[in-house]
Amino acid sequence: MPDARLTDDSAIWIIVPAYNEAARIDQTLAPLCRAFSNVVVIDDGSTDATAEIAARSPVWVLRHLINSGQGAALQTGIDFALRQGAGIIVTFDADGQHDAGDVLRLVEPIRRREADIALGSRFLGKTIDMPWTRRVMLKGAVWFTRFFSQIAVTDTHNGFRALSRKAAETIRITQNRMAHASEILDQIRENQLQFCEVPVTIRYNVATLEKGQSNSAAMKIAAQFLLGRLVR
Amino acid sequence: MTPFQWIAITFIIGAAGYELVIIRQQRSVRLFGLFRGVIWFAAALAILFPNQIGRLASLVGIGRGADVILYSFVLVFLATTFYFYSRYLRLQRQITDVVRYMAIQEATRGTEEQTLEEV
């Protein structure tokens, strides 16, 4: 008999970490809420009305009292979803970069039990209006990760992923800030989780580029990741 | 004594005196107070008897007394930086755990405005 935790769409929990996304959060949530009943927004100590606007949609809203970082917000959402009995957890950026239409394709390998974690890859899929500087930075991040984490992936800092319950219970994000993406890959390797990459579409616009990581921040993320490895 | 030695020794006597006051008022753990006292005492010795530092330098194979101080500072600085960064990260993780706990406890459902406890 098929496991309802895998086949039922209501077993899919979408985790949306958000920081100062008042201008976009409703547009991000609308297609998600149409397709899925369990959407969790983690307002990471925003100074704008992100939480209030999110609360107008049929979603769970969790609020960090202080800004703790995207990694911390993701772990909060994962903890919450696991407690609610989630079968599959999908992480989804709040800034509208990701396409809600990709979610079911992303969870498919987990449903078929081919993987514990499915990683979205913009380089296998499609990027819309991606600046070349961002492409160079992300390619650099891929090589950095391949060297330090010894894991062969085509896209490293893509916030669009799907985790089986087992993977979500196994992975523990301790890197509060943006270095969590590399940390997740580290833990996939260390815990010998089965992973696969799924082509996804990432859409860039002026707002998402302003909000996203600047190229200069990449060095800071790399330093945080390496220092965080020294201090467990 | 040189003018620098007078200034430095005056500063050290002041610092050691302050140390004694906070130990007497029991605002500081006695062991740490004593440790800091030893550091001040060693600094006073190094300033009053620079030649002895020079002898120590040649004893450990370093040319000048000033280099002994410099190398020691570099080592202590690196060790202290690493120690405090570790402490900072651990503290940050503990704060995050508290923030996370509160966020989950006070989760609300949009449009319906109900907490987990009410569900």
Side-chain angles (χ1 to χ4, degrees):
Chain A
M1 192 176 150
D3 187 347
R5 275 186 169 172
L6 292 178
T7 55
D8 194 350
D9 280 0
S10 66
I12 298 173
W13 283 67
I14 316 280
I15 308 296
V16 187
Y19 175 64
N20 287 348
E21 294 287 356
R24 292 177 289 266
I25 191 76
D26 50 349
Q27 292 161 29
T28 303
L29 294 178
L32 287 173
C33 292
R34 277 197 294 273
F36 302 99
S37 53
N38 297 310
V39 179
V40 184
V41 176
I42 300 92
D43 171 34
D44 189 24
S46 297
T47 52
D48 65 7
T50 299
E52 288 77 11
I53 293 172
R56 292 181 203 153
S57 303
V59 298
W60 285 101
V61 180
L62 278 65
R63 300 184 78 161
H64 278 179
L65 279 181
I66 51 174
N67 176 245
S68 305
Q70 196 186 41
L74 281 175
Q75 189 59 58
T76 299
I78 289 170
D79 283 357
F80 180 75
L82 286 174
R83 285 185 194 198
Q84 301 296 307
I88 297 174
I89 293 172
V90 175
T91 64
F92 195 94
D93 283 0
D95 58 8
Q97 279 196 353
H98 299 155
D99 185 349
D102 284 338
V103 171
L104 287 178
R105 222 151 35 80
L106 194 65
V107 303
E108 203 44 46
I110 294 171
R111 285 183 155 166
R112 290 203 303 264
R113 297 178 192 273
E114 290 170 2
D116 300 309
I117 180 162
L119 306 165
S121 170
R122 76 196 90 188
F123 295 117
L124 292 179
K126 202 163 69 173
T127 56
I128 298 170
D129 298 332
M130 182 190 213
W132 68 269
T133 51
R134 185 57 58 95
R135 182 177 293 276
V136 170
M137 182 184 82
L138 288 167
K139 286 287 184 185
V142 169
W143 287 110
F144 177 88
T145 303
R146 284 188 175 186
F147 181 76
F148 284 103
S149 299
Q150 295 290 305
I151 187 165
V153 288
T154 59
D155 193 0
T156 51
H157 283 253
N158 191 335
F160 203 6
R161 352 176 156 73
L163 296 85
S164 67
R165 188 175 175 86
K166 174 191 158 193
E169 285 171 338
T170 306
I171 288 171
R172 189 82 203 159
I173 301 169
T174 62
Q175 293 269 9
N176 278 3
R177 304 281 163 189
M178 294 310 289
H180 70 271
S182 300
E183 187 187 25
I184 288 172
L185 296 177
D186 261 6
Q187 293 196 23
I188 289 173
R189 185 180 50 80
E190 283 166 12
N191 294 297
Q192 298 180 324
L193 295 169
Q194 294 292 321
F195 76 96
C196 68
E197 287 190 290
V198 175
V200 295
T201 301
I202 305 286
R203 183 175 288 103
Y204 289 85
N205 58 44
V206 175
T208 57
L209 285 168
E210 270 175 13
K211 193 80 204 303
Q213 293 303 310
S214 67
N215 293 354
S216 59
M219 298 301 288
K220 197 173 155 192
I221 294 171
Q224 279 173 357
F225 172 66
L226 294 176
L227 279 169
R229 277 182 145 203
L230 289 173
V231 185
R232 295 277 178 171
Chain B
M1 287 217 311
T2 63
F4 170 74
Q5 284 176 317
W6 279 112
I7 294 166
I9 292 301
T10 308
F11 174 77
I12 288 173
I13 289 171
Y18 178 70
E19 207 68 68
L20 271 178
V21 169
I22 58 172
I23 287 176
R24 279 181 70 92
Q25 291 177 345
Q26 296 187 327
R27 276 157 50 200
S28 169
V29 178
R30 194 165 291 237
L31 194 65
F32 287 115
L34 282 174
F35 178 71
R36 286 194 295 265
V38 169
I39 299 285
W40 289 122
F41 185 66
L45 285 181
I47 288 163
L48 287 173
F49 309 108
N51 292 339
Q52 298 305 313
I53 300 296
R55 285 183 64 185
L56 176 70
S58 57
L59 208 67
V60 294
I62 300 172
R64 296 184 310 159
D67 289 339
V68 173
I69 304 287
L70 178 69
Y71 295 159
S72 307
F73 261 101
V74 169
L75 288 176
V76 170
F77 173 76
L78 287 176
T80 311
T81 304
F82 188 71
Y83 171 74
F84 276 110
Y85 188 72
S86 307
R87 284 287 299 263
Y88 159 74
L89 277 189
R90 288 194 188 122
L91 187 65
Q92 191 188 49
R93 284 172 193 165
Q94 287 170 337
I95 292 170
T96 305
D97 286 343
V98 175
V99 169
R100 179 168 297 136
Y101 176 80
M102 293 177 77
I104 291 174
Q105 286 299 307
E106 292 168 11
T108 55
R109 181 78 182 163
T111 63
E112 292 156 33
E113 284 297 324
Q114 52 186 173
T115 63
L116 261 185
E117 287 155 8
E118 292 165 343
V119 173

